[in-house]
Amino acid sequence: MTTTTALLPTVDFCGTQLSRLIIGGNPIRGHSHISPELNQEMRDYHTVDNAVQTLLHAEECGINTMQSRADDVIYGMLDAYRQAGGTMHWVAQTASENPDPFANIRDIAARDAWGIYYHGSMTDRLWKSGEIDKAKDYLKAMRDEGVKVGIACHMPEILRYIEDAGWDLDFYMVCFYNIAKIERDSAIVTGKVVEEPFDDPDRDIACQFARETDKPCIAYKILAASRKCGSEEDVRTAFQYAFDNIKAGDIVNVGMYQKYSDQIAMNARLAEEIL
């Protein structure tokens, strides 16, 4: 049953009412998928104060859930946000540079995360090395902590494999673009930005999986990491495609960068109008 919080409709997502648009953490953490210069600009802009104001404004616009990686930088911002009265649910991505993934999962759960998912770049790496089943150990650790359990990847064949094998998880993070067609890793981990493929036909494959699985999905990179943000109409078109092609119970995760314009208010308005 869909309800409304401020502007945005919500859906029952694994037993919790989550807004159908949630705010992503890449811009806050300085991960643009564009260039080292933009990465640094995003990091410079997102002081703790600016990050907190961004998240509080998202709440004002009806977004009740945030997504981000889980590292010391995010922990500091999240603590300040909570101290400022922020109440959004937190969907946390494991930090692949952490030498002890199990400790990372315990730390995330101790910070009252709603859910945890295994980092997509690491899932891709395990798949390519023939070791994908190792990821089940991390998912079990999440389950043992009592949070909602998810997994991300960039390669649709991984999602199919996990679905067919019936892994114990609650939700999928479904990337609209298979950027793992090339050898890559997160720029936050490596410090290097590579040219990544954003091929529109990938979206059809991702959305087909989201529609066919019974599990709820969080669709991400629906704006091709800002490549579909040339105008408000471009953003609207990308939102329309996403909401038209995923399940009615699925949600979208969009990074928002407030330095030059109020992207949060615009995205919330567009989502509300489309839905």
Side-chain angles (χ1 to χ4, degrees), residues 3-10 19 56-64 268-269 271-273:
T3 60
T4 301
T5 301
L7 293 175
L8 284 170
T10 67
S19 50
L56 291 175
H57 184 45
E59 278 196 70
E60 293 172 349
C61 291
I63 297 172
N64 75 357
R269 173 175 52 80
E272 188 272 337
E273 290 172 0

Side-chain angles (χ1 to χ4, degrees), residues 88-194:
M88 281 194 290
H89 304 292
W90 181 34
V91 181
Q93 173 202 287
T94 56
S96 57
E97 74 277 11
N98 192 304
D100 186 342
F102 297 102
N104 186 215
I105 290 167
R106 291 192 297 271
D107 289 344
I108 297 168
R111 290 175 177 272
D112 200 28
W114 173 87
I116 306 174
Y117 68 90
Y118 192 56
H119 184 193
S121 294
M122 294 302 293
T123 308
D124 298 340
R125 183 183 298 175
L126 289 176
W127 177 264
K128 290 180 178 181
S129 67
E131 301 173 298
I132 186 61
D133 283 356
K134 286 185 177 180
K136 290 193 288 187
D137 293 336
Y138 305 120
L139 302 187
K140 182 180 183 304
M142 297 171 197
R143 181 68 72 204
D144 291 345
E145 292 296 328
V147 299
K148 299 302 180 185
V149 177
I151 195 164
C153 66
H154 303 100
M155 304 169 68
E157 56 265 42
I158 303 177
L159 297 175
R160 293 286 180 189
Y161 172 84
I162 293 171
E163 176 81 350
D164 291 344
W167 285 19
D168 176 26
L169 49 80
D170 298 305
F171 66 95
Y172 291 108
M173 298 287 298
V174 178
C175 188
F176 266 32
Y177 295 91
N178 180 7
I179 58 175
K181 294 173 183 175
I182 62 167
E183 290 303 316
R184 60 168 297 281
D185 207 337
S186 170
I188 294 177
V189 177
T190 65
K192 299 177 182 178
V193 177
V194 298

